[in-house]
Amino acid sequence: MSAPTIGVAVGDRSVSDTRRISELALSLPDTSLTGIVTAGVLAPTPAAGATRTGLQWNSASSVTGDDLVRVESVVTRVEQSGNGNVVDRHVRLVDDGGSVREQGIETWLLPESSDVRHDPAVDFCTPAWGELLRESLSADPAFASSLSTWDGTVGLRCTDASGRAREVHLRIYRGRIIDVARRVPGGATFTLIVPAVTWVDLMVAEHNDFMRRAISGEFSSSGNGYEYLRLTKPLDIIIAHARTSAREWQSVAGHTLPLTCGREARS
């Protein structure tokens, strides 16, 4: 089973051994809880002294005692607060055929003394993250050129299974981001909506596969659908810059993700 090497950070993953559920000797008041309890047994706690304070769970096909399963988890957010450190973690229950049978979002409260790694580069769809994008994109002539005649606002939203969302608006005028905010007057021209676990996958994958995922329908949008489709290329540039910031931070923080030289090549 893999585990974070230095504290807890967005992108940390764990994969359990494959086990037959009946061999875990679970004590269940209701068989509908089999998947939830199995995930709790096989997935490690994020840190010593952590307490699970929330869980949103979905079952595509409920597991039973005869199933062979493993648990895959990935940290999707780390938030530092006065009462401790809050961690969101996406958990999947995967059978021996590779199908995701059940999954959910756990929220954990870690003691204040716990070692966590937090940075705007991986706090997706927040104003601080948006400011990093503005600074990075301001030096990219390809981004300026792709939106040289455009006047509007791009919304970027990160959602999880509980329905919670973080959203940032990038107000763009003729190739330049002139404002970054949670909301702008008049709202976004369109908003790209991506689940939190997919944001993590986008940011840490070896290659930028935004276009492939967009074509395969992994994202959704609200607002002006025509503008969303027309501006797929600028969105790809935005994602490339976000990836560079996230991967540079992860490399410094102790991960060994490969980095490209300079900004990522764009298709």
Side-chain angles (χ1 to χ4, degrees), residues 54-196:
L55 175 67
Q56 297 290 329
W57 197 256
N58 294 300
S59 299
S61 175
S62 298
V63 296
T64 66
D66 292 332
D67 286 315
L68 286 165
V69 298
R70 68 179 183 273
V71 174
E72 301 175 354
S73 71
V74 59
V75 174
T76 57
R77 192 181 193 197
V78 174
E79 180 180 2
Q80 295 172 304
S81 68
N83 298 323
N85 301 295
V86 179
V87 170
D88 285 347
R89 185 170 70 171
H90 187 96
V91 178
R92 294 186 179 107
L93 206 56
V94 184
D95 65 23
D96 57 337
S99 298
V100 177
R101 300 283 294 278
E102 303 187 42
Q103 60 184 316
I105 300 290
E106 301 175 325
T107 300
W108 293 82
L109 179 64
L110 279 58
E112 290 185 65
S113 59
S114 58
D115 184 11
V116 298
R117 291 167 289 158
H118 175 270
D119 192 89
V122 287
D123 199 8
F124 314 123
C125 303
T126 60
W129 180 78
E131 289 292 352
L132 289 178
L133 281 177
R134 169 155 65 173
E135 180 180 357
S136 178
L137 289 163
S138 68
D140 189 342
F143 176 74
S145 176
S146 69
L147 292 169
S148 60
T149 62
W150 198 68
D151 179 8
T153 299
V154 172
L156 300 168
R157 185 184 303 167
C158 176
T159 64
D160 62 32
S162 68
R164 294 175 301 176
R166 307 190 299 275
E167 185 169 336
V168 66
H169 287 184
L170 308 179
R171 178 77 175 88
I172 300 170
Y173 181 69
R174 294 189 174 182
R176 187 168 64 92
I177 298 175
I178 61 174
D179 191 22
V180 175
R182 295 188 187 278
R183 293 286 190 276
V184 298
T189 306
F190 67 87
T191 300
L192 175 69
I193 304 169
V194 181

Side-chain angles (χ1 to χ4, degrees), residues 11-38:
D12 285 341
R13 298 178 185 270
S14 70
V15 181
S16 76
D17 295 331
T18 299
R19 299 287 301 276
R20 190 175 299 279
I21 293 176
S22 60
E23 297 173 353
L24 298 176
L26 305 177
S27 177
L28 300 169
D30 188 329
T31 56
S32 66
L33 300 176
T34 300
I36 294 174
V37 176
T38 299

